[in-house]
Amino acid sequence: MSEIIQSHALFAEAITEMRDLVASTMGPFGSPVMLTRQNQPALIFRDGAQVIRSYMPADAIKGNAIGRLRDAAEATLKAAGDGTSTTTVLLATLYLAAMDLIAEYEKAGQSVVRRLVADRIVEILGQMEKYLVENAIQVMDTDGNIDMGLLQKVATISANNDPAIGEIVANLVAQIGSDGSVQVEYSKSGELETEKIPGYVFPGGLYHPYFLQQGQRQEEWIDPYIVLVNDSLVAMNDL
């Protein structure tokens, strides 16, 4: 086996391992994952994001593969605030499917055509979307009734498997609906407290990336949003 083929095999093996580990934690009925390292105590996780951050293969090629999945998952976290597990499973599945297609070309003695591979990837993405739509478990039925037991299980997973916080989050989501948002913070008192605020809240303040360029005397803004405060602001943290 050539070094290139062996590298591809190790890369695909690592991608498969990570996909299966993360997928096993997903959903309301996900299972915990135990990771072991040489001369170190075993670690048990029930959250896919923790598995992604903690899984470190000793092999350099496998580590490179896992690093790429981890970067994609972290990018999703920054952009959407969640979805690291889903990104990992979908991206890994897509990569393996593309590699299988390339292997089919090589086995048939045909040159790899990038356009055909790209078309195949688009087809696979469509199949993924269709599968998710058909197999998604609805928390709310067509009459608007919410399955609180299922919603609490989903919220508990999002709350790092803390059932107390999961119950609170589920009850809040049921009250505010899909258009609202829930934010969990550390309590200074150590007690579990909830606060429901109507309207929209800017928890960290806002700033605009555009400023006057050198030599520019004015800037025109169309329909700007203005935030009014009751105190002087000297730093972003004051917001």
mmCIF file of all heavy atoms in Angstrom, residues 135-188:
data_model
loop_
_atom_site.group_PDB
_atom_site.id
_atom_site.type_symbol
_atom_site.label_atom_id
_atom_site.label_comp_id
_atom_site.label_asym_id
_atom_site.label_seq_id
_atom_site.Cartn_x
_atom_site.Cartn_y
_atom_site.Cartn_z
ATOM 1 N N ASN A 135 -37.307 12.381 8.952
ATOM 2 C CA ASN A 135 -37.069 11.647 10.194
ATOM 3 C C ASN A 135 -37.030 12.528 11.438
ATOM 4 O O ASN A 135 -36.815 12.022 12.537
ATOM 5 C CB ASN A 135 -35.751 10.870 10.090
ATOM 6 C CG ASN A 135 -35.830 9.741 9.084
ATOM 7 O OD1 ASN A 135 -36.251 8.636 9.402
ATOM 8 N ND2 ASN A 135 -35.423 10.019 7.850
ATOM 9 N N ALA A 136 -37.207 13.834 11.265
ATOM 10 C CA ALA A 136 -37.198 14.721 12.419
ATOM 11 C C ALA A 136 -38.366 14.406 13.348
ATOM 12 O O ALA A 136 -39.492 14.171 12.905
ATOM 13 C CB ALA A 136 -37.272 16.178 11.961
ATOM 14 N N ILE A 137 -38.091 14.370 14.645
ATOM 15 C CA ILE A 137 -39.132 14.139 15.649
ATOM 16 C C ILE A 137 -39.669 15.494 16.084
ATOM 17 O O ILE A 137 -38.931 16.330 16.617
ATOM 18 C CB ILE A 137 -38.572 13.379 16.864
ATOM 19 C CG1 ILE A 137 -38.022 12.016 16.421
ATOM 20 C CG2 ILE A 137 -39.645 13.197 17.930
ATOM 21 C CD1 ILE A 137 -37.353 11.244 17.538
ATOM 22 N N GLN A 138 -40.941 15.724 15.827
ATOM 23 C CA GLN A 138 -41.540 17.014 16.109
ATOM 24 C C GLN A 138 -41.869 17.148 17.599
ATOM 25 O O GLN A 138 -42.509 16.272 18.179
ATOM 26 C CB GLN A 138 -42.814 17.198 15.284
ATOM 27 C CG GLN A 138 -42.583 17.125 13.782
ATOM 28 C CD GLN A 138 -41.709 18.250 13.271
ATOM 29 O OE1 GLN A 138 -41.721 19.354 13.824
ATOM 30 N NE2 GLN A 138 -40.956 17.993 12.225
ATOM 31 N N VAL A 139 -41.422 18.229 18.199
ATOM 32 C CA VAL A 139 -41.750 18.517 19.588
ATOM 33 C C VAL A 139 -43.180 19.034 19.698
ATOM 34 O O VAL A 139 -43.854 18.838 20.708
ATOM 35 C CB VAL A 139 -40.748 19.536 20.173
ATOM 36 C CG1 VAL A 139 -41.137 19.938 21.592
ATOM 37 C CG2 VAL A 139 -39.343 18.969 20.154
ATOM 38 N N MET A 140 -43.652 19.687 18.631
ATOM 39 C CA MET A 140 -45.006 20.244 18.631
ATOM 40 C C MET A 140 -45.817 19.597 17.513
ATOM 41 O O MET A 140 -45.316 19.437 16.395
ATOM 42 C CB MET A 140 -44.951 21.762 18.427
ATOM 43 C CG MET A 140 -46.322 22.450 18.407
ATOM 44 S SD MET A 140 -46.203 24.231 18.035
ATOM 45 C CE MET A 140 -45.257 24.783 19.449
ATOM 46 N N ASP A 141 -47.067 19.191 17.806
ATOM 47 C CA ASP A 141 -47.898 18.584 16.782
ATOM 48 C C ASP A 141 -48.597 19.660 15.955
ATOM 49 O O ASP A 141 -48.411 20.859 16.165
ATOM 50 C CB ASP A 141 -48.911 17.612 17.400
ATOM 51 C CG ASP A 141 -49.869 18.303 18.366
ATOM 52 O OD1 ASP A 141 -50.062 19.534 18.264
ATOM 53 O OD2 ASP A 141 -50.434 17.605 19.227
ATOM 54 N N THR A 142 -49.402 19.234 14.993
ATOM 55 C CA THR A 142 -50.052 20.186 14.086
ATOM 56 C C THR A 142 -51.071 21.071 14.786
ATOM 57 O O THR A 142 -51.425 22.138 14.282
ATOM 58 C CB THR A 142 -50.747 19.416 12.947
ATOM 59 O OG1 THR A 142 -51.653 18.447 13.504
ATOM 60 C CG2 THR A 142 -49.723 18.700 12.074
ATOM 61 N N ASP A 143 -51.555 20.647 15.948
ATOM 62 C CA ASP A 143 -52.521 21.447 16.708
ATOM 63 C C ASP A 143 -51.851 22.422 17.673
ATOM 64 O O ASP A 143 -52.545 23.129 18.406
ATOM 65 C CB ASP A 143 -53.456 20.525 17.495
ATOM 66 C CG ASP A 143 -54.318 19.668 16.572
ATOM 67 O OD1 ASP A 143 -54.652 20.151 15.473
ATOM 68 O OD2 ASP A 143 -54.628 18.521 16.944
ATOM 69 N N GLY A 144 -50.523 22.420 17.685
ATOM 70 C CA GLY A 144 -49.814 23.336 18.563
ATOM 71 C C GLY A 144 -49.550 22.795 19.947
ATOM 72 O O GLY A 144 -49.094 23.533 20.828
ATOM 73 N N ASN A 145 -49.824 21.517 20.178
ATOM 74 C CA ASN A 145 -49.582 20.910 21.480
ATOM 75 C C ASN A 145 -48.122 20.474 21.591
ATOM 76 O O ASN A 145 -47.584 19.825 20.690
ATOM 77 C CB ASN A 145 -50.500 19.705 21.684
ATOM 78 C CG ASN A 145 -51.966 20.079 21.625
ATOM 79 O OD1 ASN A 145 -52.378 21.074 22.207
ATOM 80 N ND2 ASN A 145 -52.756 19.305 20.894
ATOM 81 N N ILE A 146 -47.475 20.829 22.702
ATOM 82 C CA ILE A 146 -46.059 20.546 22.893
ATOM 83 C C ILE A 146 -45.882 19.296 23.742
ATOM 84 O O ILE A 146 -46.537 19.133 24.783
ATOM 85 C CB ILE A 146 -45.355 21.733 23.578
ATOM 86 C CG1 ILE A 146 -45.437 22.980 22.694
ATOM 87 C CG2 ILE A 146 -43.894 21.406 23.871
ATOM 88 C CD1 ILE A 146 -44.839 24.216 23.335
ATOM 89 N N ASP A 147 -45.001 18.408 23.298
ATOM 90 C CA ASP A 147 -44.628 17.236 24.083
ATOM 91 C C ASP A 147 -43.563 17.684 25.082
ATOM 92 O O ASP A 147 -42.379 17.742 24.765
ATOM 93 C CB ASP A 147 -44.085 16.139 23.158
ATOM 94 C CG ASP A 147 -43.799 14.835 23.896
ATOM 95 O OD1 ASP A 147 -43.564 14.881 25.121
ATOM 96 O OD2 ASP A 147 -43.787 13.769 23.249
ATOM 97 N N MET A 148 -43.990 18.038 26.303
ATOM 98 C CA MET A 148 -43.073 18.610 27.281
ATOM 99 C C MET A 148 -41.985 17.622 27.694
ATOM 100 O O MET A 148 -40.853 18.018 27.973
ATOM 101 C CB MET A 148 -43.846 19.072 28.513
ATOM 102 C CG MET A 148 -44.695 20.314 28.261
ATOM 103 S SD MET A 148 -43.717 21.725 27.668
ATOM 104 C CE MET A 148 -42.577 21.959 29.051
ATOM 105 N N GLY A 149 -42.304 16.336 27.730
ATOM 106 C CA GLY A 149 -41.295 15.346 28.091
ATOM 107 C C GLY A 149 -40.161 15.326 27.081
ATOM 108 O O GLY A 149 -38.977 15.315 27.448
ATOM 109 N N LEU A 150 -40.519 15.344 25.800
ATOM 110 C CA LEU A 150 -39.504 15.344 24.744
ATOM 111 C C LEU A 150 -38.755 16.664 24.711
ATOM 112 O O LEU A 150 -37.530 16.690 24.557
ATOM 113 C CB LEU A 150 -40.169 15.073 23.396
ATOM 114 C CG LEU A 150 -39.244 14.986 22.185
ATOM 115 C CD1 LEU A 150 -38.202 13.903 22.375
ATOM 116 C CD2 LEU A 150 -40.052 14.744 20.918
ATOM 117 N N LEU A 151 -39.480 17.778 24.867
ATOM 118 C CA LEU A 151 -38.844 19.088 24.873
ATOM 119 C C LEU A 151 -37.847 19.204 26.018
ATOM 120 O O LEU A 151 -36.754 19.765 25.865
ATOM 121 C CB LEU A 151 -39.910 20.185 24.981
ATOM 122 C CG LEU A 151 -39.389 21.626 25.017
ATOM 123 C CD1 LEU A 151 -38.593 21.956 23.763
ATOM 124 C CD2 LEU A 151 -40.550 22.607 25.184
ATOM 125 N N GLN A 152 -38.195 18.659 27.179
ATOM 126 C CA GLN A 152 -37.284 18.709 28.323
ATOM 127 C C GLN A 152 -36.017 17.890 28.059
ATOM 128 O O GLN A 152 -34.927 18.282 28.466
ATOM 129 C CB GLN A 152 -37.986 18.211 29.579
ATOM 130 C CG GLN A 152 -37.136 18.335 30.841
ATOM 131 C CD GLN A 152 -37.915 17.972 32.095
ATOM 132 O OE1 GLN A 152 -39.136 18.023 32.101
ATOM 133 N NE2 GLN A 152 -37.207 17.610 33.146
ATOM 134 N N LYS A 153 -36.161 16.752 27.374
ATOM 135 C CA LYS A 153 -34.981 15.948 27.059
ATOM 136 C C LYS A 153 -34.042 16.697 26.121
ATOM 137 O O LYS A 153 -32.822 16.692 26.303
ATOM 138 C CB LYS A 153 -35.408 14.621 26.432
ATOM 139 C CG LYS A 153 -36.078 13.667 27.400
ATOM 140 C CD LYS A 153 -36.494 12.385 26.714
ATOM 141 C CE LYS A 153 -37.160 11.424 27.692
ATOM 142 N NZ LYS A 153 -37.619 10.174 27.039
ATOM 143 N N VAL A 154 -34.619 17.370 25.124
ATOM 144 C CA VAL A 154 -33.801 18.148 24.191
ATOM 145 C C VAL A 154 -33.126 19.310 24.920
ATOM 146 O O VAL A 154 -31.941 19.584 24.724
ATOM 147 C CB VAL A 154 -34.670 18.671 23.028
ATOM 148 C CG1 VAL A 154 -33.857 19.590 22.123
ATOM 149 C CG2 VAL A 154 -35.242 17.515 22.227
ATOM 150 N N ALA A 155 -33.884 20.004 25.780
ATOM 151 C CA ALA A 155 -33.330 21.134 26.521
ATOM 152 C C ALA A 155 -32.250 20.675 27.489
ATOM 153 O O ALA A 155 -31.253 21.380 27.708
ATOM 154 C CB ALA A 155 -34.448 21.859 27.275
ATOM 155 N N THR A 156 -32.403 19.506 28.076
ATOM 156 C CA THR A 156 -31.404 18.980 29.008
ATOM 157 C C THR A 156 -30.088 18.716 28.286
ATOM 158 O O THR A 156 -29.004 18.996 28.812
ATOM 159 C CB THR A 156 -31.912 17.685 29.659
ATOM 160 O OG1 THR A 156 -33.104 17.967 30.409
ATOM 161 C CG2 THR A 156 -30.860 17.091 30.598
ATOM 162 N N ILE A 157 -30.156 18.199 27.059
ATOM 163 C CA ILE A 157 -28.940 17.991 26.285
ATOM 164 C C ILE A 157 -28.269 19.326 25.996
ATOM 165 O O ILE A 157 -27.042 19.473 26.134
ATOM 166 C CB ILE A 157 -29.267 17.262 24.971
ATOM 167 C CG1 ILE A 157 -29.740 15.840 25.264
ATOM 168 C CG2 ILE A 157 -28.055 17.233 24.042
ATOM 169 C CD1 ILE A 157 -30.195 15.083 24.049
ATOM 170 N N SER A 158 -29.042 20.331 25.615
ATOM 171 C CA SER A 158 -28.485 21.654 25.340
ATOM 172 C C SER A 158 -27.908 22.304 26.591
ATOM 173 O O SER A 158 -27.022 23.151 26.494
ATOM 174 C CB SER A 158 -29.560 22.562 24.741
ATOM 175 O OG SER A 158 -30.046 22.045 23.524
ATOM 176 N N ALA A 159 -28.405 21.906 27.768
ATOM 177 C CA ALA A 159 -27.917 22.445 29.037
ATOM 178 C C ALA A 159 -26.817 21.576 29.624
ATOM 179 O O ALA A 159 -26.648 21.507 30.839
ATOM 180 C CB ALA A 159 -29.073 22.573 30.029
ATOM 181 N N ASN A 160 -26.065 20.896 28.724
ATOM 182 C CA ASN A 160 -24.946 20.049 29.152
ATOM 183 C C ASN A 160 -25.420 18.957 30.106
ATOM 184 O O ASN A 160 -24.771 18.632 31.093
ATOM 185 C CB ASN A 160 -23.832 20.887 29.803
ATOM 186 C CG ASN A 160 -22.517 20.152 29.833
ATOM 187 O OD1 ASN A 160 -22.310 19.214 29.076
ATOM 188 N ND2 ASN A 160 -21.627 20.562 30.721
ATOM 189 N N ASN A 161 -26.610 18.418 29.792
ATOM 190 C CA ASN A 161 -27.197 17.302 30.541
ATOM 191 C C ASN A 161 -27.451 17.609 32.009
ATOM 192 O O ASN A 161 -27.297 16.753 32.874
ATOM 193 C CB ASN A 161 -26.297 16.057 30.410
ATOM 194 C CG ASN A 161 -26.334 15.462 29.026
ATOM 195 O OD1 ASN A 161 -27.305 14.826 28.635
ATOM 196 N ND2 ASN A 161 -25.279 15.684 28.266
ATOM 197 N N ASP A 162 -27.837 18.849 32.283
ATOM 198 C CA ASP A 162 -28.274 19.233 33.621
ATOM 199 C C ASP A 162 -29.805 19.213 33.614
ATOM 200 O O ASP A 162 -30.435 20.103 33.041
ATOM 201 C CB ASP A 162 -27.763 20.636 33.970
ATOM 202 C CG ASP A 162 -28.035 21.014 35.413
ATOM 203 O OD1 ASP A 162 -29.137 20.689 35.910
ATOM 204 O OD2 ASP A 162 -27.159 21.624 36.050
ATOM 205 N N PRO A 163 -30.446 18.207 34.240
ATOM 206 C CA PRO A 163 -31.903 18.078 34.152
ATOM 207 C C PRO A 163 -32.651 19.248 34.800
ATOM 208 O O PRO A 163 -33.737 19.605 34.339
ATOM 209 C CB PRO A 163 -32.187 16.768 34.886
ATOM 210 C CG PRO A 163 -30.994 16.530 35.753
ATOM 211 C CD PRO A 163 -29.826 17.119 35.024
ATOM 212 N N ALA A 164 -32.078 19.847 35.846
ATOM 213 C CA ALA A 164 -32.757 20.972 36.503
ATOM 214 C C ALA A 164 -32.837 22.170 35.561
ATOM 215 O O ALA A 164 -33.891 22.791 35.401
ATOM 216 C CB ALA A 164 -32.020 21.342 37.794
ATOM 217 N N ILE A 165 -31.703 22.504 34.931
ATOM 218 C CA ILE A 165 -31.703 23.617 33.988
ATOM 219 C C ILE A 165 -32.505 23.258 32.753
ATOM 220 O O ILE A 165 -33.215 24.097 32.182
ATOM 221 C CB ILE A 165 -30.255 23.999 33.611
ATOM 222 C CG1 ILE A 165 -29.512 24.495 34.851
ATOM 223 C CG2 ILE A 165 -30.241 25.056 32.510
ATOM 224 C CD1 ILE A 165 -28.077 24.885 34.593
ATOM 225 N N GLY A 166 -32.433 21.986 32.327
ATOM 226 C CA GLY A 166 -33.197 21.553 31.168
ATOM 227 C C GLY A 166 -34.686 21.743 31.364
ATOM 228 O O GLY A 166 -35.398 22.160 30.442
ATOM 229 N N GLU A 167 -35.172 21.454 32.562
ATOM 230 C CA GLU A 167 -36.605 21.628 32.847
ATOM 231 C C GLU A 167 -36.991 23.103 32.790
ATOM 232 O O GLU A 167 -38.037 23.469 32.234
ATOM 233 C CB GLU A 167 -36.936 21.056 34.223
ATOM 234 C CG GLU A 167 -38.413 21.159 34.581
ATOM 235 C CD GLU A 167 -38.718 20.559 35.937
ATOM 236 O OE1 GLU A 167 -37.769 20.096 36.628
ATOM 237 O OE2 GLU A 167 -39.912 20.541 36.324
ATOM 238 N N ILE A 168 -36.127 23.964 33.356
ATOM 239 C CA ILE A 168 -36.405 25.400 33.328
ATOM 240 C C ILE A 168 -36.427 25.926 31.899
ATOM 241 O O ILE A 168 -37.325 26.671 31.494
ATOM 242 C CB ILE A 168 -35.347 26.162 34.162
ATOM 243 C CG1 ILE A 168 -35.498 25.809 35.643
ATOM 244 C CG2 ILE A 168 -35.474 27.668 33.954
ATOM 245 C CD1 ILE A 168 -34.439 26.427 36.524
ATOM 246 N N VAL A 169 -35.423 25.518 31.107
ATOM 247 C CA VAL A 169 -35.338 25.976 29.718
ATOM 248 C C VAL A 169 -36.550 25.499 28.921
ATOM 249 O O VAL A 169 -37.137 26.249 28.135
ATOM 250 C CB VAL A 169 -34.030 25.483 29.068
ATOM 251 C CG1 VAL A 169 -34.041 25.745 27.566
ATOM 252 C CG2 VAL A 169 -32.826 26.157 29.710
ATOM 253 N N ALA A 170 -36.952 24.242 29.120
ATOM 254 C CA ALA A 170 -38.102 23.704 28.399
ATOM 255 C C ALA A 170 -39.370 24.490 28.720
ATOM 256 O O ALA A 170 -40.161 24.810 27.826
ATOM 257 C CB ALA A 170 -38.285 22.234 28.744
ATOM 258 N N ASN A 171 -39.563 24.816 29.992
ATOM 259 C CA ASN A 171 -40.753 25.577 30.387
ATOM 260 C C ASN A 171 -40.726 26.977 29.785
ATOM 261 O O ASN A 171 -41.767 27.500 29.351
ATOM 262 C CB ASN A 171 -40.840 25.665 31.910
ATOM 263 C CG ASN A 171 -41.187 24.320 32.544
ATOM 264 O OD1 ASN A 171 -41.862 23.495 31.935
ATOM 265 N ND2 ASN A 171 -40.719 24.100 33.759
ATOM 266 N N LEU A 172 -39.532 27.586 29.722
ATOM 267 C CA LEU A 172 -39.429 28.922 29.137
ATOM 268 C C LEU A 172 -39.700 28.888 27.638
ATOM 269 O O LEU A 172 -40.398 29.751 27.101
ATOM 270 C CB LEU A 172 -38.043 29.509 29.403
ATOM 271 C CG LEU A 172 -37.768 29.966 30.841
ATOM 272 C CD1 LEU A 172 -36.313 30.378 30.995
ATOM 273 C CD2 LEU A 172 -38.685 31.128 31.211
ATOM 274 N N VAL A 173 -39.146 27.895 26.958
ATOM 275 C CA VAL A 173 -39.371 27.771 25.515
ATOM 276 C C VAL A 173 -40.846 27.571 25.223
ATOM 277 O O VAL A 173 -41.391 28.122 24.253
ATOM 278 C CB VAL A 173 -38.532 26.611 24.942
ATOM 279 C CG1 VAL A 173 -38.948 26.315 23.508
ATOM 280 C CG2 VAL A 173 -37.051 26.928 25.009
ATOM 281 N N ALA A 174 -41.517 26.796 26.049
ATOM 282 C CA ALA A 174 -42.954 26.568 25.868
ATOM 283 C C ALA A 174 -43.736 27.869 26.039
ATOM 284 O O ALA A 174 -44.767 28.077 25.394
ATOM 285 C CB ALA A 174 -43.449 25.519 26.856
ATOM 286 N N GLN A 175 -43.246 28.765 26.894
ATOM 287 C CA GLN A 175 -43.931 30.036 27.136
ATOM 288 C C GLN A 175 -43.680 31.058 26.035
ATOM 289 O O GLN A 175 -44.599 31.728 25.565
ATOM 290 C CB GLN A 175 -43.486 30.625 28.476
ATOM 291 C CG GLN A 175 -43.891 29.817 29.694
ATOM 292 C CD GLN A 175 -43.375 30.435 30.979
ATOM 293 O OE1 GLN A 175 -43.386 31.654 31.145
ATOM 294 N NE2 GLN A 175 -42.897 29.604 31.883
ATOM 295 N N ILE A 176 -42.406 31.186 25.619
ATOM 296 C CA ILE A 176 -42.053 32.276 24.699
ATOM 297 C C ILE A 176 -42.157 31.863 23.233
ATOM 298 O O ILE A 176 -42.191 32.717 22.348
ATOM 299 C CB ILE A 176 -40.628 32.782 24.978
ATOM 300 C CG1 ILE A 176 -39.599 31.683 24.719
ATOM 301 C CG2 ILE A 176 -40.525 33.294 26.404
ATOM 302 C CD1 ILE A 176 -38.174 32.118 24.969
ATOM 303 N N GLY A 177 -42.207 30.554 22.948
ATOM 304 C CA GLY A 177 -42.335 30.102 21.571
ATOM 305 C C GLY A 177 -41.012 30.110 20.826
ATOM 306 O O GLY A 177 -39.957 30.429 21.375
ATOM 307 N N SER A 178 -41.085 29.782 19.535
ATOM 308 C CA SER A 178 -39.877 29.642 18.726
ATOM 309 C C SER A 178 -39.235 30.980 18.366
ATOM 310 O O SER A 178 -38.080 31.024 17.946
ATOM 311 C CB SER A 178 -40.208 28.885 17.433
ATOM 312 O OG SER A 178 -41.217 29.575 16.705
ATOM 313 N N ASP A 179 -39.958 32.087 18.524
ATOM 314 C CA ASP A 179 -39.400 33.393 18.188
ATOM 315 C C ASP A 179 -38.601 33.995 19.336
ATOM 316 O O ASP A 179 -37.895 34.988 19.135
ATOM 317 C CB ASP A 179 -40.523 34.372 17.799
ATOM 318 C CG ASP A 179 -41.201 33.964 16.501
ATOM 319 O OD1 ASP A 179 -40.519 33.346 15.662
ATOM 320 O OD2 ASP A 179 -42.403 34.251 16.337
ATOM 321 N N GLY A 180 -38.716 33.432 20.535
ATOM 322 C CA GLY A 180 -37.979 33.952 21.675
ATOM 323 C C GLY A 180 -36.615 33.303 21.798
ATOM 324 O O GLY A 180 -36.232 32.431 21.018
ATOM 325 N N SER A 181 -35.857 33.742 22.783
ATOM 326 C CA SER A 181 -34.535 33.170 23.030
ATOM 327 C C SER A 181 -34.333 33.007 24.532
ATOM 328 O O SER A 181 -34.887 33.761 25.332
ATOM 329 C CB SER A 181 -33.428 34.056 22.447
ATOM 330 O OG SER A 181 -33.431 35.336 23.046
ATOM 331 N N VAL A 182 -33.541 32.009 24.877
ATOM 332 C CA VAL A 182 -33.243 31.717 26.281
ATOM 333 C C VAL A 182 -31.741 31.808 26.491
ATOM 334 O O VAL A 182 -30.969 31.257 25.713
ATOM 335 C CB VAL A 182 -33.751 30.320 26.682
ATOM 336 C CG1 VAL A 182 -33.377 30.010 28.130
ATOM 337 C CG2 VAL A 182 -35.257 30.218 26.488
ATOM 338 N N GLN A 183 -31.354 32.519 27.534
ATOM 339 C CA GLN A 183 -29.941 32.656 27.861
ATOM 340 C C GLN A 183 -29.704 32.146 29.279
ATOM 341 O O GLN A 183 -30.424 32.519 30.206
ATOM 342 C CB GLN A 183 -29.495 34.119 27.750
ATOM 343 C CG GLN A 183 -28.018 34.334 28.056
ATOM 344 C CD GLN A 183 -27.603 35.774 27.812
ATOM 345 O OE1 GLN A 183 -28.352 36.556 27.228
ATOM 346 N NE2 GLN A 183 -26.411 36.145 28.265
ATOM 347 N N VAL A 184 -28.719 31.282 29.435
ATOM 348 C CA VAL A 184 -28.381 30.718 30.742
ATOM 349 C C VAL A 184 -27.088 31.355 31.235
ATOM 350 O O VAL A 184 -26.096 31.381 30.514
ATOM 351 C CB VAL A 184 -28.224 29.184 30.656
ATOM 352 C CG1 VAL A 184 -27.866 28.607 32.025
ATOM 353 C CG2 VAL A 184 -29.495 28.538 30.126
ATOM 354 N N GLU A 185 -27.112 31.865 32.459
ATOM 355 C CA GLU A 185 -25.943 32.519 33.044
ATOM 356 C C GLU A 185 -25.666 31.925 34.414
ATOM 357 O O GLU A 185 -26.531 31.291 35.028
ATOM 358 C CB GLU A 185 -26.169 34.029 33.171
ATOM 359 C CG GLU A 185 -26.414 34.737 31.843
ATOM 360 C CD GLU A 185 -26.693 36.216 32.041
ATOM 361 O OE1 GLU A 185 -26.964 36.616 33.202
ATOM 362 O OE2 GLU A 185 -26.657 36.965 31.058
ATOM 363 N N TYR A 186 -24.442 32.150 34.899
ATOM 364 C CA TYR A 186 -24.094 31.720 36.247
ATOM 365 C C TYR A 186 -24.797 32.608 37.266
ATOM 366 O O TYR A 186 -24.885 33.823 37.105
ATOM 367 C CB TYR A 186 -22.583 31.785 36.468
ATOM 368 C CG TYR A 186 -21.815 30.711 35.744
ATOM 369 C CD1 TYR A 186 -21.104 31.003 34.586
ATOM 370 C CD2 TYR A 186 -21.817 29.393 36.200
ATOM 371 C CE1 TYR A 186 -20.401 30.006 33.911
ATOM 372 C CE2 TYR A 186 -21.127 28.403 35.539
ATOM 373 C CZ TYR A 186 -20.418 28.714 34.399
ATOM 374 O OH TYR A 186 -19.731 27.740 33.728
ATOM 375 N N SER A 187 -25.291 31.976 38.332
ATOM 376 C CA SER A 187 -25.999 32.715 39.372
ATOM 377 C C SER A 187 -25.032 33.095 40.489
ATOM 378 O O SER A 187 -24.271 32.268 40.977
ATOM 379 C CB SER A 187 -27.146 31.864 39.935
ATOM 380 O OG SER A 187 -27.726 32.488 41.048
ATOM 381 N N LYS A 188 -25.061 34.371 40.874
ATOM 382 C CA LYS A 188 -24.223 34.832 41.974
ATOM 383 C C LYS A 188 -24.698 34.281 43.320
ATOM 384 O O LYS A 188 -23.900 34.109 44.244
ATOM 385 C CB LYS A 188 -24.207 36.357 42.013
ATOM 386 C CG LYS A 188 -23.568 37.001 40.784
ATOM 387 C CD LYS A 188 -23.563 38.512 40.892
ATOM 388 C CE LYS A 188 -22.911 39.139 39.659
ATOM 389 N NZ LYS A 188 -22.912 40.623 39.732
#
